[in-house]
Amino acid sequence: MEKEYSDQIAALLAPPSPQSIQEYYKSLNESGKCDGLCVRDNGKHGKAVFAGRDFKEEELILKDRMLVGAQHTSNKVDCIVCSYCFRFIGSIEAQIGRRLYLQSLGICGDKECDKEHHSHSTKEKMECDLPSKEMIESLLNGDLTLPFTDRFALPEVVSCPAGCEEEKYCSQSCADADWETYHSLLCTSSNNKQSLALLKFIEHANETNDIFIVAAKAIAFTILRYRKLKKSQVKDKGKGLLGKMDSANFSLLLEAWKPISMGFKQRWWECISLPDDVDPSEELQFRTEIRDLASTSLELLKDAIFDIECAPLFSLDAYGSIIGMFELNNLDLVVASPIEDYFIYIDELPDKEKEEALLAIQTFVDALGDDYSVPCQGTAFFPIQSCMNHSCCPNAKAFKRDQDIDGHAIIIALRPISTGEEITLSYIDEDVPYDERQAMLADYGFTCACPRCLEERPS
Ligand SMILES: C[S@@+](CC[C@H](N)C(=O)[O-])C[C@H]1O[C@@H](n2cnc3c(N)ncnc32)[C@H](O)[C@@H]1O
């Protein structure tokens, strides 16, 4: 396939022209997605975001909706969130109940805590620390209401339109938007060949690297956009465009792919940094293994959702570039847990009320243990935030305020910013010496040349 479609694959992976970059970000600006900002080349390290107006210290600069993202598989044990906007859903009781239920099965967060593998005393402790099965069930089915949770009401759970168990939503509009944007291609609800193939793909991703699931969403996003564009063209121009990969269809595919094309630079196996436990002499072998892993994942995905009209998307180079885009852009998806707010609220109640509330919730607090309020965590690609360059003396930061309860990226001014200034973030903890900063930035594939680094660079 790589040979048959080599020209199209090369066109797909060519860096977008300055004109196409300008047009794309102008269209985002015009649709209100980045008011007061302007994306253009800064003449030093590619795209950059500039202030189109003055910002005050602490002012909100940007609320960026992700283009594609997913919760980490291991994190699904810790929190139930909307699969589209990543808000916590259900109720405080259901969030706690589900976590304890899974704990009782020996599944806890990012590790399988198989009871058989624990020492006898640990196993006994795990079991006696947990509330009874009946109590956990009544949390889950809504029979048990904990005190003051009405002040932390969460949206009711809406199911996937086709009824799969995997995805849940905070509203019908999120369920519909997810279906239209990604999920109609990735739903495993039916019992057909495609669903079984998808389940195999997901199983492989869960066992190896769940970044493949985000990459599959990027491909589904592009195919569904392509089909939508084509539907409107067929309506206008007749049926000549149906069923093949010709030049007219390919230009629609390029258009559908545009948002993703703005983000990638290198293939995953080229840009992934060498883990500490891999000897530099084994680098080539390591990179080959990573490429092979991506190839296995891609074959499984092809079995499930291959579309001949979008064939170049299923090349290993395109798949590797999409994954590389997540690798190089430090764009974590994080949403704070409302359970933390709930427990803080209880802790700050007047003594008598607190005592009464604790009588009802202490068993659960103890059973949840130290990491009682794990946030929703995942990987996402944000179209504007991903254009913000790094500085070791940044003028902005990614920061969720109390009201930011979903998966948007939030950027706040650290100091007053004037019109025309570049908006910069720190990708790392910048309060460390020069050498340490450069070592951390090596993971992002560059040596920093911000004003502070230029000043502190040893001569
Ligand atoms: C999140 S992207 C930022 C947008 C990027 N300039 C672009 O054109 O898409 C991160 C990449 O930008 C470049 N970059 C960001 N900050 C930099 C800095 N301070 N010095 C050198 N390169 C930087 C590096 O290539 C890095 O991998």
Side-chain angles (χ1 to χ4, degrees), residues 45-47 265 329 386-390 427 444 446-449:
H45 1 88
K47 294 194 293 296
K265 286 172 207 73
N329 291 289
S386 65
C387 297
M388 292 185 174
N389 288 307
H390 164 87
Y427 299 176
Y444 296 95
F446 66 91
T447 307
C448 184

